[in-house]
Amino acid sequence: AQKITQTQPGMFVQEKEAVTLDCTYDTSDPSYGLFWYKQPSSGEMIFLIYQGSYDQQNATEGRYSLNFQKARKSANLVISASQLGDSAMYFCAMRVGAGNMLTFGGGTRLMVKP
Amino acid sequence: NAGVMQNPRHLVRRRGQEARLRCSPMKGHSHVYWYRQLPEEGLKFMVYLQKENIIDESGMPKERFSAEFPKEGPSILRIQQVVRGDSAAYFCASSLRQGEAAGELFFGEGSRLTVL
């Protein structure tokens, strides 16, 4: 069975600083993908970044980067230069094998302080 | 190119009534997924459908819930005899193929069901 754990229910960060949101996962399947989504107060799910289990390099998308440590089974999201608009819920998710079914973590609420 | 469209965005029902949630996938997408999000929780997989077929319904409650994706028209998630515990946001996602890499799975904006 797959499991995703986000241990930080809430985080504060000062505007313009970097922040790391933790995510650990557990699966016995060697082929998997890890996703991060942002959910603002309006409720939609916004895709941020993806890391495949066989990818050699950490994924980056603009101010988002994924710190993928395979041996530790962690896939932390790093947001650089935080902006007020980054305040939202952030969800880590995993897909195993060839399917598209995602298993989600419980989320971290990020609050950016001006 | 319209994204995944869900309606209604908000639905209020009294206990015992039926709720029907609709999802139109992105144009050309034949794979649809429904997820449920309870307040302050992550999304939980419910069902995966292709046109006219249910592929995986392992996350669907055994009673009162059903889903379909007909040859023509949107996918429908139907909840009969709703109870207060059904109050949640229901998200639909679609993809062109199975096993897509990131960015190829698109979520709708969700339908928020409130049961009084």
Side-chain angles (χ1 to χ4, degrees):
Chain A
Q2 295 76 245
K3 188 175 180 181
I4 290 275
T5 303
Q6 295 179 253
T7 57
Q8 307 152 312
M11 289 277 288
F12 282 96
V13 65
Q14 200 66 43
E15 192 179 8
K16 300 181 184 177
E17 292 185 350
V19 63
T20 298
L21 306 183
D22 295 342
C23 173
T24 58
Y25 60 92
D26 189 21
T27 180
S28 57
D29 198 308
S31 175
Y32 53 89
L34 296 156
F35 300 71
W36 277 92
Y37 287 89
K38 173 183 178 182
Q39 187 177 43
S41 57
S42 50
E44 69 268 34
M45 295 292 287
I46 302 169
F47 165 73
L48 295 179
I49 197 167
Y50 169 83
Q51 181 84 42
S53 59
Y54 296 118
D55 293 344
Q56 295 297 314
Q57 292 187 322
N58 286 348
T60 61
E61 290 285 348
R63 293 186 299 110
Y64 304 108
S65 61
L66 201 150
N67 184 3
F68 182 43
Q69 299 191 35
K70 200 169 183 177
R72 293 186 177 183
K73 294 191 173 180
S74 73
N76 298 340
L77 176 70
V78 180
I79 305 174
S80 62
S82 297
Q83 302 172 356
L84 296 178
D86 295 335
S87 294
M89 283 291 288
Y90 288 81
F91 291 98
C92 180
M94 177 171 63
R95 181 189 68 213
V96 171
N100 263 345
M101 288 77 82
L102 299 181
T103 300
F104 282 81
T108 295
R109 183 174 299 280
L110 177 66
M111 290 150 282
V112 180
K113 297 186 289 185
Chain B
N1 188 15
V4 178
M5 304 299 292
Q6 289 189 247
N7 68 84
R9 292 292 310 279
H10 299 275
L11 182 64
V12 179
R13 285 287 179 266
R14 296 192 181 279
R15 281 180 296 168
Q17 292 183 320
E18 178 180 288
R20 283 193 178 218
L21 309 176
R22 287 175 290 278
C23 169
S24 295
M26 286 189 70
K27 188 176 181 180
H29 285 194
S30 59
H31 299 253
V32 165
Y33 310 80
W34 284 94
Y35 288 81
R36 176 165 64 174
Q37 184 181 30
L38 295 172
E40 303 302 317
E41 293 187 11
L43 280 66
K44 298 283 195 301
F45 168 76
M46 298 181 75
V47 62
Y48 162 36
L49 310 105
Q50 293 180 26
K51 285 283 188 182
E52 300 184 277
N53 286 303
I54 296 175
I55 307 301
D56 184 339
E57 55 182 348
S58 58
M60 285 274 274
K62 293 290 184 281
E63 297 177 348
R64 302 187 297 108
F65 284 72
S66 62
E68 62 177 12
F69 188 18
K71 187 176 180 181
E72 301 291 338
S75 176
I76 306 285
L77 179 67
R78 182 182 177 204
I79 311 171
Q80 296 177 290
Q81 299 175 329
V82 296
V83 300
R84 289 212 174 109
D86 297 333
S87 295
Y90 292 83
F91 285 90
C92 172
S94 76
S95 68
L96 185 61
R97 290 176 288 270
Q98 187 181 14
E100 294 288 359
E104 303 297 332
L105 181 66
F106 298 88
F107 279 87
E109 294 186 325
S111 291
R112 278 146 188 87
L113 172 66
T114 301
V115 180
L116 301 178

